[in-house]
Amino acid sequence: MSIMRRVRDITVATLNERLEKAEDPVRLIDQFLWSTREDIIQAERLYQQYAGHSNHLKAQWLQAEQQKEKREQQALTALKAGEEQLARIALHEKASSEERSNQYRDLYEQSRQNTVELEEQLRQMRSEYQTVYDKREYYAARMESLRLQQRLNSRYSGIGEQSANPGTMFRRLEDRISDMELEAKSFQDLRRMGREFASEAGQTVQSVIERELEQLKRKLDKEGWSS
């Protein structure tokens, strides 16, 4: 397992846990996406270098293989011509070519394995990037919904309960007007009662005066005063 792969595993493994605790998950996701994008760019560069290096090693390996076969044919040709010494020299060079071929083949196989591994890491990182990017869109939508809800709550809390509901406002206005009307009616009743009391009081006084007047008239009659 490469160092890059180990670091990527730690980052991805802790992302969900950190998201649950983050006050601003979109910002955390953006940081992760930026870091992952940088890793992808570096991995792509490394992949290109590995691919170029693998091609070079393969070319060296195949060239050594061709050289080995060529020296073997030269040895056969020398033996046919009775030139054993030349055949020995050709076989010696064949052995060197074969050793070089094995060396380059091993290097090529290792480089090709690393290239395949790096290609798989790139595929996984790109998949992770896309998955997290999709999550970012979802969390961004949730954060926007939350922001708008907070603005809505702030707007209504500023208006207050009294004016937030037109029905409540008019009911309270109706109650207030009714109270004022009742108060005015009470004053009218009091004035009417005052007038009635004054009228009744006047009639009582008038009756008393009339009685006293009749008494005075009878007194005068007794005394011989007649009108």
Side-chain angles (χ1 to χ4, degrees), residues 138-189:
Y138 167 70
Y139 277 108
R142 285 184 61 183
M143 291 294 291
E144 179 65 11
S145 298
L146 177 60
R147 185 182 67 83
L148 293 175
Q149 183 65 46
Q150 289 173 341
R151 289 182 60 186
L152 181 63
N153 294 341
S154 175
R155 176 180 176 84
Y156 275 95
S157 63
I159 295 176
E161 295 183 357
Q162 180 173 348
S163 59
N165 189 338
T168 301
M169 178 185 68
F170 284 110
R171 282 195 300 271
R172 294 189 178 185
L173 181 58
E174 180 70 24
D175 292 341
R176 182 179 179 186
I177 294 176
S178 297
D179 291 341
M180 294 172 65
E181 290 175 342
L182 182 60
E183 183 179 357
K185 187 176 184 301
S186 297
F187 280 117
Q188 289 177 354
D189 291 341

Side-chain angles (χ1 to χ4, degrees), residues 15-16 18-33 132 135-144 146:
L15 178 61
N16 287 333
R18 294 177 63 186
L19 279 176
E20 295 298 327
K21 301 177 181 178
E23 295 182 2
D24 189 351
V26 176
R27 181 178 180 183
L28 178 61
I29 291 175
D30 285 341
Q31 292 175 351
F32 175 83
L33 290 175
V132 175
K135 277 185 172 290
R136 187 226 184 254
E137 296 302 296
Y138 167 70
Y139 277 108
R142 285 184 61 183
M143 291 294 291
E144 179 65 11
L146 177 60

